[in-house]
Amino acid sequence: MENIELQNGSFREPLLEYVKKKYKTEPDYPWKKYQGNAVLRHEDNNKWYGLIMSVERNKLGLFGDGFTDVVNVKCSDQMLHDMLIQQDGYIPGYHMNKRSWITVLLDGTVAFEEICGIVDGSYEETAS
């Protein structure tokens, strides 16, 4: 995988490009109130495998003001889930089932290749 740079302090756009290229996923923007929140769905079963959002840092328990981009992904393997949320850049699922979803910061705390691997796992886990 090529070296991916942050764009405007976020891996949001590179991640959207990645899922479009790999899975042919076009993001779905279902909420008028939260127009920037993008749902990543399987084409065949419509199940979510990711949710990209911009969230206030303080709502995630992070220091500083303003918003940060994150992706929520499915991670039902409890051991992996519990190991990941102990690492910087991983949080129990924001606005999702905290036992089977995790939130990953897209601000560069987690390497882009690692984010892609986590998204790939979520895609596989939610496949038909």
Side-chain angles (χ1 to χ4, degrees), residues 103-117:
T103 297
V104 184
L105 299 179
L106 298 178
D107 65 357
T109 305
V110 179
F112 184 72
E113 295 77 19
E114 192 171 329
I115 294 167
C116 292

Side-chain angles (χ1 to χ4, degrees), residues 20-127:
K20 182 175 184 173
K21 183 177 179 182
K22 184 161 186 178
Y23 301 115
K24 313 255 185 302
T25 298
E26 291 291 339
D28 179 18
Y29 298 92
W31 301 286
K32 285 184 181 182
K33 185 175 180 182
Y34 303 103
Q35 293 181 6
N37 291 355
V39 175
L40 306 177
R41 299 177 194 266
H42 284 273
E43 194 173 83
D44 62 344
N45 65 14
N46 240 9
K47 285 187 180 179
W48 294 18
Y49 68 92
L51 172 61
I52 299 175
M53 303 181 291
S54 186
V55 181
E56 287 183 77
R57 293 179 63 79
N58 64 354
K59 289 185 177 179
L60 298 171
L62 302 173
F63 294 108
D65 294 326
F67 288 77
T68 192
D69 288 335
V70 300
V71 62
N72 282 347
V73 291
K74 185 120 187 201
C75 181
S76 295
D77 179 323
Q78 202 58 54
M79 186 178 292
L80 176 60
H81 177 281
D82 292 348
M83 286 174 35
L84 287 173
I85 63 171
Q86 299 302 314
Q87 298 178 34
D88 288 343
Y90 294 93
I91 302 166
Y94 177 74
H95 265 298
M96 303 294 265
N97 180 323
K98 292 181 181 355
R99 304 254 330 129
S100 59
W101 287 78
I102 56 174
T103 297
V104 184
L105 299 179
L106 298 178
D107 65 357
T109 305
V110 179
F112 184 72
E113 295 77 19
E114 192 171 329
I115 294 167
C116 292
I118 296 292
V119 169
D120 292 343
S122 182
Y123 184 89
E124 293 299 320
E125 189 172 333
T126 55

